[in-house]
Amino acid sequence: MEQAQRHATAFLSPANADILGLLQHFWWEQGDSWQEQWEKLYNYYSDNELALFFLCTIVIPALSFWMYNAVLIVIHLTGKPHFFTEYKIQKNHPADLAKLGRALITVVCNQIFISIPMIMLMYPIMKYFGNPCSIKLHTYYLVLLDLIICVLIEETFFYYSHWLLHHHKIYKYIHKKHHDWTAPIGIVGFYSHPLDHILSNMLPAIIGPMLMGSHVTSIMLWFSIVVIGTTITHSGYHLPFLPSPQFHDFHHLKSNQCYGIVGILDRLNGTDLLFRQNKAYDRHILLFGLTPLNKSLPPPPQKKKSTDTQTPYVWENYHRFINK
Ligand SMILES: [Zn+2]
Ligand SMILES: [Zn+2]
């Protein structure tokens, strides 16, 4: 597989440099228009900056999350449209309504009782050190810098908090709940114990913009990327033109591998060794065409007993869930 296609290094690839150039061009073309729209919204909320902060950092990312997940839940329950099933990573168990209901309740509770208070707490802190709701938008380069730092901070905090939650002495009390789903669906990204939600979902995402003193529109963009990102990585579908979910899907399959998000710290700490020996690694690419990976990179033929002494558990699970 060509290195440039590999998700972990794709960030630095020429293809991505083109995308960044395209974004920069788009930003400059639209720059005045963005500023104009923002000023209209800013003036509309001029008496209530807190409401503006709430709209940008909670309402819009939450809408992004629930609109995408509503589609995924319908597909999960009905198996339609049928062509989606071609892109499925694991062969799911039939939809379990009770399990789905429990997940929905947990996710809504986590969002209402943990996410909203934590994000609203950001406002007075950020206001004390700066002005997140200034009328002047930040420049393209500053937004890009914010996003890069936020990704690196999230990768670091998520990796180590997640790794800690997998410690055998605490795993069953907190993080096991998230792993109830060995073949996850989109909303499972936020299906977790409250402490897990604070440590692994919220803190890694909010520390970055607070340290950077980001503009509220940059926070809106970052939070939307985070919630869409966690939905994609838990969706169970490897769809064209979207980031590969194979890395975290493999984590749900074999829970002592792939603790991070981007994969940098897993590579440095060697916690992706089994993943890199597995066929899922070859499939961990950005899919540029419409041909599903199940056709272009089909799983290996099923073996009755694994001959790979290093990864028996991986292969057993792999065949159980992925092979057709
Ligand atoms: Zn997960
Ligand atoms: Zn985990």
Side-chain angles (χ1 to χ4, degrees):
M1 196 53 52
E2 285 190 13
Q3 193 68 9
Q5 283 186 305
R6 189 89 37 214
H7 179 71
T9 54
F11 191 73
L12 302 170
S13 72
N16 264 15
D18 288 348
I19 292 169
L20 289 177
L22 209 66
L23 281 174
Q24 184 188 41
H25 181 72
F26 180 68
W27 182 283
W28 281 340
E29 287 285 308
Q30 302 293 320
D32 291 341
S33 169
W34 293 131
Q35 182 63 43
E36 238 172 69
Q37 298 305 320
W38 169 246
E39 281 176 22
K40 276 186 197 163
L41 191 68
Y42 181 88
N43 290 329
Y44 185 78
Y45 283 95
S46 57
D47 293 336
N48 196 349
E49 208 175 85
L50 193 63
L52 183 61
F53 192 85
F54 185 84
L55 174 76
C56 292
T57 58
I58 291 172
V59 177
I60 292 173
L63 280 176
S64 315
F65 177 83
W66 282 110
M67 280 181 348
Y68 190 10
N69 274 290
V71 174
L72 290 174
I73 287 170
V74 170
I75 296 169
H76 177 63
L77 290 177
T78 64
K80 291 185 174 70
H82 184 67
F83 74 88
F84 262 89
T85 56
E86 299 277 317
Y87 296 99
K88 207 146 195 6
I89 302 171
Q90 298 187 34
K91 232 173 152 181
N92 259 10
H93 304 289
D96 180 339
L97 276 179
K99 193 176 178 183
L100 178 64
R102 281 197 301 275
L104 280 169
I105 291 169
T106 302
V107 171
V108 171
C109 286
N110 279 343
Q111 288 182 324
I112 292 175
F113 299 113
I114 295 171
S115 300
I116 293 178
M118 283 184 80
I119 293 171
M120 290 317 287
L121 200 61
M122 286 172 73
Y123 178 75
I125 297 172
M126 292 186 77
K127 192 77 187 161
Y128 181 79
F129 290 103
N131 183 13
C133 299
S134 65
I135 191 159
K136 188 94 180 81
L137 287 176
H138 285 185
T139 62
Y140 169 80
Y141 290 113
L142 200 50
V143 174
L144 195 61
L145 179 68
D146 279 4
L147 290 180
I148 292 170
I149 298 294
C150 284
V151 167
L152 294 175
I153 287 176
E154 193 193 34
E155 171 74 359
T156 308
F157 278 80
F158 180 78
Y159 179 89
Y160 287 108
S161 60
H162 188 192
W163 174 78
L164 189 70
L165 289 169
H166 272 271
H167 189 279
H168 65 97
K169 285 192 175 159
I170 50 176
Y171 174 75
K172 65 179 175 185
Y173 301 110
I174 301 171
H175 192 53
K176 190 176 184 298
K177 184 182 177 82
H178 180 69
H179 280 273
D180 282 352
W181 292 75
T182 48
I185 60 169
I187 55 161
V188 173
F190 290 152
Y191 174 70
S192 46
H193 185 282
L195 210 53
D196 193 350
H197 189 60
I198 293 169
L199 283 176
S200 279
N201 294 334
M202 293 307 299
L203 283 177
I206 68 174
I207 288 172
M210 289 179 77
L211 279 180
M212 295 302 291
S214 302
H215 192 268
V216 71
T217 51
S218 306
I219 306 175
M220 176 179 75
L221 179 64
W222 167 238
F223 282 177
S224 300
I225 291 172
V226 169
V227 297
I228 294 292
T230 196
T231 301
I232 290 172
T233 55
H234 287 92
S235 67
Y237 293 92
H238 194 145
L239 298 172
F241 312 112
L242 289 180
S244 162
Q246 302 279 351
F247 192 74
H248 194 71
D249 199 89
F250 193 79
H251 174 73
H252 277 261
L253 198 61
K254 171 80 176 145
S255 63
N256 63 356
Q257 287 284 294
C258 308
Y259 296 112
I261 298 169
V262 183
I264 302 169
L265 286 170
D266 282 287
R267 179 62 65 92
L268 291 174
N269 290 320
T271 45
D272 62 350
L273 285 174
L274 294 186
F275 175 65
R276 284 193 282 127
Q277 291 166 13
N278 196 278
K279 184 80 177 173
Y281 180 63
D282 295 334
R283 296 155 71 100
H284 187 42
I285 55 171
L286 183 60
L287 196 53
F288 280 112
L290 293 178
T291 309
L293 281 172
N294 288 334
K295 284 186 183 158
S296 60
L297 271 173
Q302 194 162 0
K303 299 169 189 172
K304 273 194 172 172
K305 206 166 185 180
S306 168
T307 53
D308 184 345
T309 51
Q310 283 183 297
T311 57
Y313 180 75
V314 175
W315 284 111
E316 279 166 26
N317 279 289
Y318 186 76
H319 290 305
R320 191 182 309 154
F321 290 111
I322 301 180
N323 274 356
K324 289 186 175 176

